[in-house]
Amino acid sequence: MEIIKKTNIDFMGKRYIAFAVSGIFSVLGILAIIAVVRGTANLGIDFAGGTAVQVKFDKTVKLSDVRKALDEGGLTGADLQEFPAVKKVLVVIKKIGSGAIDTKSASTSAGVSDKVIETLTKGLKDNNLTVDSVSEIGPKVGSRLRTDAMWAVIASVIGILIYVGWRFQFSFSIGATFATFHDVLAVLGVFYVMGYEINLILLTALLTIAGYSLTDTVVVFDRIRENLRAMIKEPVTNVINKSINEVLSRTLVTSLTVFFASLALYFFGGEVLHDFALAMALGVIVGTYSSVFVASPVVLLWAGDKQLVKK
């Protein structure tokens, strides 16, 4: 299937514009990482530690009534998320004892969850509730998960370097690693700027995006390698432009397929998959952009004007 045919776009001629755009997204991503390490980002309880209680009410309830009941019970500063279609409310309380909430009678995670349930039961007497789920993660566990997540990302980057370096050559390895890391930084940066929660679900989406982006980039690199062998006398810039144009239709068809699947998950997958689907949709857009405008230009920049080694 081809949605566009015989394009002749000068992608390499626009590489400096692409570098400027990518630089902005990368800076946002780096700022997000610094905020995560310092604990100033909007971290989920997976990384920050805390308690999440999801309750289901018999009747529809307003978030303002839930917050009022919690405040009157001494639980101020809780994050609330509403699922109106199923009459559920998620109450999230981070960092027990941090001073953000009054936990005089609840010095442990288990104490906080019991106090939340007790407070809502008393404060909303005319609306019976049932506890749907309780998640409790201590600050030490959250810190450990945050460290493990960082090592998982570092290990994936090293794996990309080794795989692409073995299959192609070192300059391609640099291009693929840069593009993949760029995609992760861009999505993380957008989530940070928009104030979305950074949690294990987002980390899962980021690693999925890294895998998708790498696959897309390798397809482009494979065509460049073939054309480098067939177009020996052509300048490398022309070979790269021709290669990207040849696989452009395939790239767009694949990306649109994943993008529409992510949109379907976003609108119909429920609240649990909401952030994952949003990250995937953003990641597909950024990954497609980077496989065209970032990966190959970085290879050209790294290899310089000399002919790339044919392998």
Side-chain angles (χ1 to χ4, degrees):
M1 178 181 177
E2 285 187 286
I3 57 176
I4 53 174
K5 296 181 180 179
K6 295 181 180 178
T7 57
N8 187 27
I9 303 171
D10 180 17
F11 293 105
M12 292 300 100
K14 300 173 177 59
R15 60 182 181 275
Y16 294 111
I17 299 174
F19 285 156
V21 174
S22 297
I24 295 172
F25 282 115
S26 298
V27 168
L28 290 179
I30 292 170
L31 291 176
I33 290 175
I34 294 172
V36 169
V37 172
R38 296 180 59 192
T40 56
N42 181 19
L43 299 176
I45 64 168
D46 311 340
F47 295 146
T51 301
V53 181
Q54 183 167 288
V55 293
K56 177 178 173 62
F57 291 93
D58 285 346
K59 297 179 287 187
T60 301
V61 62
K62 294 181 180 178
L63 278 186
S64 57
D65 293 339
V66 175
R67 186 171 297 284
K68 182 181 178 182
L70 291 172
D71 289 347
E72 291 176 349
L75 292 169
T76 57
D79 293 329
L80 303 180
Q81 188 173 353
E82 185 181 20
F83 309 119
V86 288
K87 302 172 186 173
K88 293 181 180 178
V89 173
L90 177 65
V91 181
V92 178
I93 297 176
K94 301 176 185 175
K95 293 184 179 178
I96 302 160
S98 64
I101 58 174
D102 178 6
T103 55
K104 293 177 182 175
S105 61
S107 58
T108 65
S109 296
V112 173
S113 62
D114 290 342
K115 186 169 178 62
V116 169
I117 296 167
E118 179 186 350
T119 301
L120 291 180
T121 303
K122 290 182 179 177
L124 301 167
K125 294 179 180 177
D126 59 336
N127 198 346
N128 293 328
L129 64 86
T130 54
V131 180
D132 210 41
S133 65
V134 175
S135 300
E136 297 165 343
I137 298 179
K140 289 184 179 178
V141 176
S143 177
R144 175 63 184 274
L145 286 172
R146 203 163 53 194
T147 304
D148 289 348
M150 181 187 69
W151 283 113
V153 172
I154 292 174
S156 66
V157 171
I158 294 173
I160 292 169
L161 273 169
I162 294 173
Y163 168 69
V164 180
W166 165 73
R167 183 169 174 181
F168 294 91
Q169 53 185 282
F170 187 67
S171 56
F172 284 92
S173 173
I174 294 296
T177 305
F178 191 92
T180 304
F181 207 54
H182 161 274
D183 298 343
V184 171
L185 286 176
V187 176
L188 181 62
V190 170
F191 263 64
Y192 171 64
V193 170
M194 295 177 69
Y196 281 98
E197 191 173 275
I198 297 173
N199 51 29
L200 282 177
I201 292 177
L202 176 61
L203 178 66
T204 304
L206 292 178
L207 293 177
T208 307
I209 290 166
Y212 171 83
S213 174
L214 178 63
T215 304
D216 211 29
T217 301
V218 165
V219 170
V220 177
F221 283 177
D222 206 38
R223 183 57 60 91
I224 292 174
R225 182 173 59 177
E226 289 177 8
N227 286 337
L228 280 172
R229 292 169 178 165
M231 303 165 64
I232 298 174
K233 296 182 179 180
E234 282 286 326
V236 174
T237 302
N238 292 352
V239 175
I240 293 176
N241 271 332
K242 180 178 175 59
S243 302
I244 297 175
N245 278 289
E246 286 178 350
V247 299
L248 185 60
S249 181
R250 177 264 172 206
T251 299
L252 292 177
V253 169
T254 305
S255 298
L256 286 173
T257 303
V258 180
F259 180 73
F260 287 131
S262 300
L263 281 188
L265 281 177
Y266 181 82
F267 287 112
F268 307 112
E271 294 295 335
V272 175
L273 294 176
H274 192 270
D275 286 357
F276 178 85
L278 177 61
M280 282 299 300
L282 291 173
V284 169
I285 295 172
V286 177
T288 305
Y289 158 81
S290 71
S291 67
V292 173
F293 288 104
V294 177
S296 299
V298 169
V299 173
L300 186 62
L301 186 67
W302 185 270
D305 296 329
K306 66 181 181 182
Q307 185 78 14
L308 290 169
V309 178
K310 301 170 182 61
K311 187 175 178 180

